[in-house]
Amino acid sequence: MTIRFATPQDSAALLRIYARYITTPVTFEYALPSEREFAARIAGISSFYPYLVHETDGEITGYAYAHRHMEREAYQWNAELSVYLDPAVTSRGLGKKLYRILMDMLALQRVKTVYGCVTLPNAKSEGLHTSLGFRLLGVYRNAGYKDGQWHDVGWFEKRIAPYGPEPEPVIPLSSVAPERLRKIIASAG
């Protein structure tokens, strides 16, 4: 088992996992992105936030990433998390492990609050968030239309660092000492 940072070259493998969700309301995208578009997403997100892959015997079996929650400057201390796993490895604690690594890294970037958006119902994703101490903030009713029906989404929130006056700006992941990032990954087992 290996956890490492994603690269744009991982796009084909990540798309194979994401493709399993594209026909479900887990994602609100209607069509699977091209490999080129997905590679650009990986590059764009990982230029500032952590984007992780999990490998088993050299094969990518899951991935997770953080991204900007909202665009205005005052929201910079927030991040939204996402995780996608091959169905063969769900319910084994991998999502929880990837989320913990993301949150530890984001705290080093000075992020204070993380969010998760879950299409409801989704017992596994809801359980992941609550098991990690997220609280349900609220539900957006009929927020998305997919697969012939309207879907609600729940927004979950977790504080990962203290709030205080005059917070220092959030920094890109590249500004965090690489050895600190390696230590977080290594400590995850």
Side-chain angles (χ1 to χ4, degrees):
M1 178 197 89
T2 303
I3 296 173
R4 62 171 175 79
F5 291 104
T7 70
Q9 292 73 33
D10 294 320
S11 61
L14 274 56
L15 275 170
R16 281 192 291 279
I17 294 168
Y18 191 54
R20 297 172 187 230
Y21 295 95
I22 205 74
T23 59
T24 74
V26 169
T27 177
F28 279 2
E29 282 196 269
Y30 279 20
L32 191 64
S34 70
E35 191 175 326
R36 183 176 176 183
E37 180 183 347
F38 212 75
R41 290 182 189 184
I42 294 167
I45 291 168
S46 61
S47 70
F48 197 89
Y49 293 100
Y51 201 129
L52 306 170
V53 296
H54 174 270
E55 293 178 320
T56 304
D57 299 325
E59 182 178 335
I60 294 176
T61 53
Y63 66 98
Y65 61 93
H67 59 94
R68 184 90 183 227
H69 177 242
M70 298 180 86
E71 292 305 314
R72 301 288 186 255
E73 191 173 1
Y75 291 116
Q76 70 179 287
W77 294 276
N78 305 324
E80 184 179 340
L81 309 182
S82 295
V83 62
Y84 292 93
L85 304 175
D86 184 300
V89 299
T90 61
S91 302
R92 296 182 186 176
L94 178 56
K96 191 180 286 191
K97 185 179 291 192
L98 291 169
Y99 254 40
R100 283 187 176 132
I101 293 170
L102 289 176
M103 290 186 287
D104 287 347
M105 290 180 177
L106 290 166
L108 293 177
Q109 290 181 260
R110 304 178 185 148
V111 169
K112 308 291 185 195
T113 308
V114 290
Y115 296 91
C117 180
V118 178
T119 306
L120 303 175
N122 182 333
K124 286 183 179 182
S125 190
E126 292 171 75
L128 167 70
H129 287 88
T130 56
S131 73
L132 288 168
F134 284 74
R135 67 182 183 99
L136 180 64
L137 287 175
V139 176
Y140 289 9
R141 305 277 177 214
N142 300 309
Y145 184 82
K146 189 168 179 189
D147 300 328
Q149 61 183 2
W150 290 98
H151 299 278
D152 298 343
V153 294
W155 278 95
F156 292 81
E157 169 193 69
K158 180 177 176 145
R159 171 186 162 172
I160 62 168
Y163 307 99
E166 304 301 323
E168 293 184 89
V170 173
I171 58 173
L173 191 65
S174 60
S175 294
V176 178
E179 62 273 5
R180 295 185 79 185
L181 301 175
R182 284 192 295 273
K183 186 177 179 181
I184 289 170
I185 291 172
S187 69

